[in-house]
Amino acid sequence: MEQTREVITTNLAERLCWQVARRDDSRVARRLYRKPVVDGVYPLDAGAWLDAFFYCLRELGVVALREDVRGTGIAREMVPMVQYVLLDELKTLCGMERMNALPEWLFSDAASMRLVGFNAPPVRHGVCQRGAAKRQGPRTTGPIGPEALANNVVKLDWQALEALFTGAIRALAQAGVFQAKVTGMVDGTDLETTAQYEGCGPVTRKRQLTDQHGKVRDIEVTVDGWQVIVLIDAATKLPLAVQGVPIQAHEGLSLRALVTQARTNLAGAARRHKVVCARGFLAGSDLWWLDQHGLRCVVPATEDRAVTVDARALAAAGDGLPVGRRVHTVRHGQGQGAGSERRETEVVGLAGLTTDDHYGTPEHGQDHHRRDFEPNPIHAVVVRTWNGRDYGPGGKPVFLTNASVEQPLPPFDDDDDRRLIEHCCSKEAKQPWDLTHPPQKTARAVRVHVVLTLLMFARATAYRLRGAARETGTEPLGWQRWRRQLLQQNRDQLIVFAQGSYGIFHVAEYAILLGVKRKDVPPGIGTRQEVLARYELAGHS
């Protein structure tokens, strides 16, 4: 579906924007008051919103990292690679799904282009005049064409891109965004494409189909694409490590690489102490590897494992086991139909189970049929009642862990939090942040796009967390409510450029600085004298 200007403007409001210019409101206000020539005046609806975001990134130390990005296979660099990165990130912030939308909606916006380093002549005439004499019809608006951006951003050097991601996460850790002990949640999500994408792989998935009579049945479908596997921080929901693999690859093979990458990213500022995985990462050798590296782990057990049957039998028959119970009240309805419901959760802790033969090194698991085989003990948490749903004395869901189960509720809560990863990171990245629209149909383009998109998502999340902690001390609003609030706050703002600086003013302030007398001054702007004093012009009133 074709995107309208309103949709793209809303997406920009819903995300963030940034600038390379330097903000100096007082200096620009003096130029407006004295009426010399300024470089440009633009509405703040598709340009440099939230300059505080860029200032915050400078404070966190992640801005200068872009200067080190390099491209591979570029014979002549007419535009620095950092500007390609800035343009691609601005495209992501504006919510533009397709490269072909750039000339009309972004490249034609002088304010946005000036903020990423292009002044008026390149925006008007382009950075290169090659082929201008042979061109039939008007040239494409903007400093470069959308094909140039797509062709060059995918040439980012992979090691430099990984260093950019690592450096950004490490800078956030050094700034205290993360807690001293970090709990990592690991899960994968499909990035479905067509079979025309180079390097993608097919896989068969089960889907539920509801027919016209309301009957639900399972069907098998074959899909192509990649799998994005993310390790995120449970507290901040920031991605700490990411892997992009073909969709048919086993996600469990990426666990050690993700944990190692996250440890490198957090080195010296925070440390990983717990890893919570999805069922697809259940491999005894990997759980043992985590244990040997001093990491606690929690993972759901599959139905076909002997340890699952053993845990349920012990939970049904055993007395004196540590039990965790929680009761909470759920309110529903309004007015006379309002009511409340008490829902209980009960879990049982089981320590020292020895029926998971593969919990150990790969060589250890190969000897599980020998008489002298000594299994490594592992703990389990069996769920008897979950949010009011009773599974009986033996329970049904079973979670394996190497953490203490004397208090069985904390391991259970860890996995309960892990279920949010699909909504708080993967779903946000796939929908509002357009993770599903790489610039080209190649494996390299997909990998570059995934890393750049999640990196921007991490920066935006860190900015919002930092702002919420400074202003209210409470949890930030959801993305959609925050975006609507952002639209409302900036709809009457103007950005004015003058001699390498810029200022952001309310339209009423702008009119007062130009000498216009207004009767309908909005609340909060103040009188003419107050506006002039605000910008150090009190003596000129």
Side-chain angles (χ1 to χ4, degrees), residues 116-273:
V116 296
F118 294 106
N119 53 25
V123 174
R124 191 175 301 113
H125 305 294
V127 298
C128 177
Q129 300 302 317
R130 183 186 304 164
K134 300 179 180 180
R135 183 181 298 117
Q136 295 180 358
R139 65 174 298 275
T140 303
T141 305
I144 61 175
E147 298 85 0
L149 176 59
N151 292 335
N152 284 278
V153 77
V154 300
K155 294 179 181 179
L156 276 168
D157 180 73
W158 185 248
Q159 292 183 344
L161 187 58
E162 288 185 327
L164 178 63
F165 186 91
T166 298
I169 301 300
R170 185 174 295 174
L172 296 179
Q174 295 287 346
V177 174
F178 304 104
Q179 299 176 359
K181 293 183 179 181
V182 173
T183 296
M185 304 186 296
V186 186
D187 206 349
T189 184
D190 289 347
L191 190 62
E192 295 184 14
T193 63
T194 63
Q196 283 73 34
Y197 276 68
E198 173 191 322
C200 70
V203 70
T204 301
R205 296 282 194 236
K206 288 186 178 181
R207 300 284 171 83
Q208 286 189 340
L209 181 66
T210 304
D211 60 21
Q212 58 183 353
H213 303 292
K215 188 175 181 180
V216 180
R217 57 190 180 92
D218 293 332
I219 62 172
E220 290 187 348
V221 296
T222 300
V223 295
D224 299 274
W226 281 266
Q227 191 172 187
V228 180
I229 308 174
V230 188
L231 188 153
I232 72 171
D233 174 32
T236 63
K237 308 303 183 292
L238 279 163
L240 301 176
V242 57
Q243 291 275 316
V245 298
I247 198 170
Q248 76 275 15
H250 192 284
E251 57 187 1
L253 300 177
S254 302
L255 178 62
R256 299 191 186 188
L258 286 168
V259 173
T260 302
Q261 182 184 355
R263 275 192 154 185
T264 302
N265 296 348
L266 296 174
R271 68 180 182 89
R272 297 287 310 283
H273 83 294

Side-chain angles (χ1 to χ4, degrees), residues 12-326:
L12 179 58
E14 290 173 350
R15 301 174 188 185
L16 300 165
C17 190
W18 66 30
Q19 53 281 338
V20 176
R22 180 174 59 89
R23 180 172 181 176
D24 192 337
D25 288 352
S26 297
R27 182 184 181 190
V28 177
R30 287 194 295 272
R31 293 188 65 85
L32 290 173
Y33 184 79
R34 294 165 184 165
K35 299 181 178 58
V37 177
V38 297
D39 297 330
V41 181
Y42 309 97
L44 203 63
D45 60 349
W49 284 18
L50 289 180
D51 76 302
F53 170 64
F54 192 71
Y55 179 77
C56 177
L57 292 186
R58 277 196 186 133
E59 282 189 326
L60 296 174
V62 300
V63 173
L65 298 172
R66 292 192 202 88
E67 299 174 0
D68 298 327
V69 296
R70 297 291 182 271
T72 58
I74 301 177
R76 186 173 60 173
E77 190 177 81
M78 302 190 66
V79 176
M81 179 56 70
V82 65
Q83 283 190 280
Y84 288 123
V85 175
L86 283 168
L87 286 173
D88 186 77
E89 291 176 338
L90 188 59
K91 166 187 170 292
T92 301
L93 294 173
C94 292
M96 298 182 188
E97 300 175 356
R98 310 293 181 184
M99 284 288 181
N100 290 334
L102 289 172
E104 182 178 0
W105 301 119
L106 181 60
F107 288 171
S108 60
D109 180 27
S112 298
M113 291 300 96
R114 187 183 294 271
L115 294 174
V116 296
F118 294 106
N119 53 25
V123 174
R124 191 175 301 113
H125 305 294
V127 298
C128 177
Q129 300 302 317
R130 183 186 304 164
K134 300 179 180 180
R135 183 181 298 117
Q136 295 180 358
R139 65 174 298 275
T140 303
T141 305
I144 61 175
E147 298 85 0
L149 176 59
N151 292 335
N152 284 278
V153 77
V154 300
K155 294 179 181 179
L156 276 168
D157 180 73
W158 185 248
Q159 292 183 344
L161 187 58
E162 288 185 327
L164 178 63
F165 186 91
T166 298
I169 301 300
R170 185 174 295 174
L172 296 179
Q174 295 287 346
V177 174
F178 304 104
Q179 299 176 359
K181 293 183 179 181
V182 173
T183 296
M185 304 186 296
V186 186
D187 206 349
T189 184
D190 289 347
L191 190 62
E192 295 184 14
T193 63
T194 63
Q196 283 73 34
Y197 276 68
E198 173 191 322
C200 70
V203 70
T204 301
R205 296 282 194 236
K206 288 186 178 181
R207 300 284 171 83
Q208 286 189 340
L209 181 66
T210 304
D211 60 21
Q212 58 183 353
H213 303 292
K215 188 175 181 180
V216 180
R217 57 190 180 92
D218 293 332
I219 62 172
E220 290 187 348
V221 296
T222 300
V223 295
D224 299 274
W226 281 266
Q227 191 172 187
V228 180
I229 308 174
V230 188
L231 188 153
I232 72 171
D233 174 32
T236 63
K237 308 303 183 292
L238 279 163
L240 301 176
V242 57
Q243 291 275 316
V245 298
I247 198 170
Q248 76 275 15
H250 192 284
E251 57 187 1
L253 300 177
S254 302
L255 178 62
R256 299 191 186 188
L258 286 168
V259 173
T260 302
Q261 182 184 355
R263 275 192 154 185
T264 302
N265 296 348
L266 296 174
R271 68 180 182 89
R272 297 287 310 283
H273 83 294
K274 191 180 298 182
V275 177
V276 188
C277 310
R279 184 175 284 107
F281 296 89
L282 179 58
S285 58
D286 288 335
L287 300 184
W288 180 258
W289 180 83
L290 291 173
D291 182 79
Q292 298 305 299
H293 283 77
L295 296 172
R296 305 296 92 187
C297 59
V298 181
V299 61
T302 55
E303 297 287 333
D304 58 347
R305 295 177 79 97
V307 67
T308 305
V309 179
D310 186 27
R312 290 172 178 168
L314 292 174
D319 294 326
L321 298 173
V323 177
R325 292 187 180 88
R326 178 188 297 125

Side-chain angles (χ1 to χ4, degrees), residues 426-471:
S426 301
K427 188 175 181 180
E428 287 283 354
K430 289 170 70 173
Q431 293 181 5
W433 291 89
D434 304 321
L435 187 64
T436 55
H437 296 90
Q440 290 182 342
K441 296 181 179 181
T442 64
R444 184 182 183 88
V446 171
R447 294 176 68 190
V448 170
H449 180 66
V450 166
V451 173
L452 286 179
T453 302
L454 289 178
L455 181 57
M456 178 54 63
F457 176 80
R459 291 166 175 160
T461 304
Y463 166 74
R464 291 190 58 203
L465 290 172
R466 196 175 181 89
R470 287 177 175 177
E471 295 176 9

